[in-house]
Amino acid sequence: MVDATWGTHETPRDVLGPVAGTPAFDGHRPPALELISDCVHCGFCLTTCPTYVLWGEEMDSPRGRIYLMKAGLDGEPMSDSMVKHYDRCLGCMACVTACPSGVRYDRLIEDTRAQVERRHDRPPRQRALRAAIFALFPYPRRLRLLRGPLRAYQASGLQGLVARSGLMTRLGPTLATLESLTPRLRKVPRPPRLVPAVGARRAVVGVLTGCVQSAFFPDVNSATIRVLAAEGCDVVIPPSQGCCGALSVHNGREAEAQRFARRLIDTFDRAGVDHVVVNAAGCGSSMKEYAELLRDDPAYAARADAFAAKVRDLSEILVELGPVAKRHPLPITVAYHDACHLGHAQGVRAQPRALLAGIPGLTVKEIADPEICCGSAGVWNVLNPEPAAQLGERKARTVLATGAELLVTANPGCLMQVAAAVQRLGGEIALAHTAAVLDASVRGLGAEGLLQKTVT
């Protein structure tokens, strides 16, 4: 039977009747239908999606979530079930790399999560946890206030006692996760505002010191600054810088992310630098997308575009400049882990490997299933501790299987996540940021210092 409405301007009758309830999405940046339409449901994304690998559920795959987005555009209400599947996405962007159709899932999930945050009423416990996270993690000063108590806790031996007692696990998986992720802290001096280039100046760069990075991995920032200076950069470290907004934008907190972005743009514009160098993958990914985040802001849209063009991961700027500082040997075998927001979101894979390959005596081993996220994903491991632990242990097993002495990666979250997983498995490996390895080679420190930071 031929549909009588075919070829006319009439809307076909919905025999099931109208969808009850308020449509899932409002008119402010809903997931774009044209981007949704790019998905041909081929399934190439499935084997790279960590939640699909864990559970094998269609709606916990990228194409399943895209189907839910389309249902929302068609008027389906935003149900608890729909939100659950959106929340389960790590935002690792492995599907973007795998997709042969070029689907911009990154844009789709970001816009969808902003809709969820505005329009979905979460249970009180979820709201309280998220409020606590975003009252603390994006604020470097607040995080640094925790350093003293945490150092005392670690030095007193109480941490080991609590671990053996299983108290944290009994108090709840979120607390247990936070406790297990905390790295061993040591005192590191705050960097000066300007570190001049060693030898002839080749560039003037600003360094993002970050939130978690500055509080828990200040030694990585110090190594980053020393390496840049050794390679002929005047390094500017603006003291007034704050959060870049990565955690906020990746969790749908659009207005908050925009405030952080505007402030950071202002800070580095005043600094007058050629490039803004980032040593945390998630931060770099978000900063390179400021033009998209602030596209509707007439006062900042053009400035955001210019700022994003200046952003470089540490490995990118070092490869662009080319080495001038001598590399001393590091006779060590390392496994290199691609942080998701460096490899998938920024497409930066060759540069870190090229820098490591330029160190005499150092051997790089690849990790199996590199496209599968370690489970950190910003604060996803805090919001979803049990599946994050499964992904962390999966990653830790592949890392340990390389037989490498040292795991190298370019993201603080990955370092903490893999370290905790290795400890749970009873394995042993040292961990270091790419900047720390380069710094040890440039300064001729040898491998001993790197191998002392071993997880057992």
Side-chain angles (χ1 to χ4, degrees):
M1 179 178 177
V2 178
D3 185 346
T5 63
W6 183 260
T8 73
H9 296 290
E10 298 173 19
T11 302
R13 181 172 61 90
D14 183 354
V15 295
L16 297 178
V19 176
T22 304
F25 306 131
D26 60 28
H28 176 65
R29 297 189 180 186
L33 181 60
E34 60 269 25
L35 299 184
I36 287 173
S37 300
D38 287 337
C39 178
V40 297
H41 302 276
C42 65
F44 277 87
C45 60
L46 299 182
T47 58
T48 68
C49 175
T51 50
Y52 187 82
V53 167
L54 281 181
W55 302 312
E57 295 288 342
E58 179 67 18
M59 291 307 162
D60 287 318
S61 73
R63 71 179 184 184
R65 295 184 182 106
I66 288 173
Y67 176 87
L68 292 175
M69 294 172 196
K70 177 63 166 60
L73 290 177
D74 289 342
E76 190 77 23
M78 189 176 287
S79 64
D80 290 344
S81 175
M82 185 184 286
V83 171
K84 177 184 73 173
H85 295 301
Y86 295 147
D87 282 349
R88 283 179 170 180
C89 174
L90 286 85
C92 68
M93 304 310 154
C95 57
V96 176
T97 299
C99 181
S101 302
V103 176
R104 290 296 309 275
Y105 180 83
D106 50 342
R107 288 272 306 278
L108 290 171
I109 193 65
E110 189 173 298
D111 288 340
T112 298
R113 282 185 160 154
Q115 294 275 343
V116 169
E117 288 304 296
R118 287 197 307 272
R119 298 170 61 78
H120 180 66
D121 188 20
R122 295 185 182 278
R125 187 172 179 178
Q126 284 190 25
R127 289 202 304 272
L129 176 58
R130 287 171 180 265
I133 287 171
F134 287 98
L136 177 63
F137 281 84
Y139 297 95
R141 290 181 183 176
R142 297 177 192 178
L143 284 172
R144 283 196 291 269
L145 288 175
L146 293 177
R147 283 183 56 86
L150 284 171
R151 285 181 67 200
Y153 171 65
Q154 292 173 346
S156 68
L158 186 59
Q159 185 177 30
L161 180 63
V162 169
R164 289 190 296 273
S165 71
L167 176 62
M168 285 295 181
T169 303
R170 290 197 295 273
L171 289 174
T174 298
L175 278 176
T177 296
L178 285 169
E179 198 273 345
S180 70
L181 291 173
T182 305
R184 176 65 65 174
L185 301 177
R186 60 190 185 90
K187 192 169 183 179
V188 177
R190 296 281 295 276
R193 296 187 179 189
L194 173 66
V195 176
V198 176
R201 186 178 72 187
R202 306 165 73 198
V204 179
V205 303
V207 168
L208 179 82
T209 51
C211 303
V212 172
Q213 194 84 291
S214 65
F216 297 119
F217 295 95
D219 52 327
V220 172
N221 284 338
S222 298
T224 297
I225 293 164
R226 285 192 296 264
V227 170
L228 287 167
E231 294 292 11
C233 297
D234 276 356
V235 187
V236 180
I237 306 98
S240 59
Q241 61 178 287
C243 179
C244 69
L247 289 179
S248 301
V249 76
H250 293 154
N251 286 275
R253 300 168 69 93
E254 181 186 23
E256 182 178 78
Q258 289 170 337
R259 289 196 301 272
F260 286 137
R262 292 186 192 103
R263 179 179 173 182
L264 204 67
I265 290 169
D266 290 341
T267 298
F268 279 100
D269 278 357
R270 287 193 298 268
V273 297
D274 303 325
H275 298 291
V276 179
V277 179
V278 190
N279 58 18
C283 300
S285 170
S286 289
M287 291 163 66
K288 288 179 178 180
E289 295 173 354
Y290 273 1
E292 179 63 29
L293 178 66
L294 297 173
R295 67 181 184 269
D296 299 327
D297 186 333
Y300 277 86
R303 291 178 64 193
D305 191 42
F307 176 87
K310 292 182 178 181
V311 176
R312 297 289 189 279
D313 180 71
L314 173 65
S315 64
E316 286 184 294
I317 190 70
L318 293 177
V319 168
E320 285 179 21
L321 290 172
V324 293
K326 181 180 178 180
R327 268 51 169 175
H328 297 88
L330 288 177
I332 187 173
T333 300
V334 309
Y336 179 74
H337 164 60
D338 287 291
C340 293
H341 276 89
L342 190 61
H344 297 307
Q346 298 183 57
V348 176
R349 294 185 182 84
Q351 295 93 326
R353 289 173 170 82
L355 292 171
L356 293 172
I359 298 174
L362 187 143
T363 301
V364 180
K365 289 195 173 184
E366 296 295 333
I367 300 167
D369 298 327
E371 70 280 357
I372 301 296
C373 182
C374 69
S376 173
V379 294
W380 193 88
N381 53 354
V382 180
L383 295 169
N384 304 273
E386 291 93 346
Q390 293 178 53
L391 290 170
E393 289 170 16
R394 176 191 174 105
K395 181 63 67 176
R397 289 187 185 95
T398 60
V399 169
L400 293 170
T402 65
E405 302 162 272
L406 179 71
L407 173 67
V408 180
T409 190
N411 201 54
C414 299
L415 287 170
M416 292 188 289
Q417 175 77 355
V418 177
V422 167
Q423 190 169 48
R424 286 195 303 273
L425 293 176
E428 181 176 342
I429 193 169
L431 298 97
H433 192 285
T434 315
V437 180
L438 293 170
D439 182 50
S441 176
V442 169
R443 296 167 69 197
L445 300 179
E448 293 77 14
L450 296 170
L451 295 178
Q452 284 177 0
K453 300 176 183 179
T454 300
V455 179
T456 55

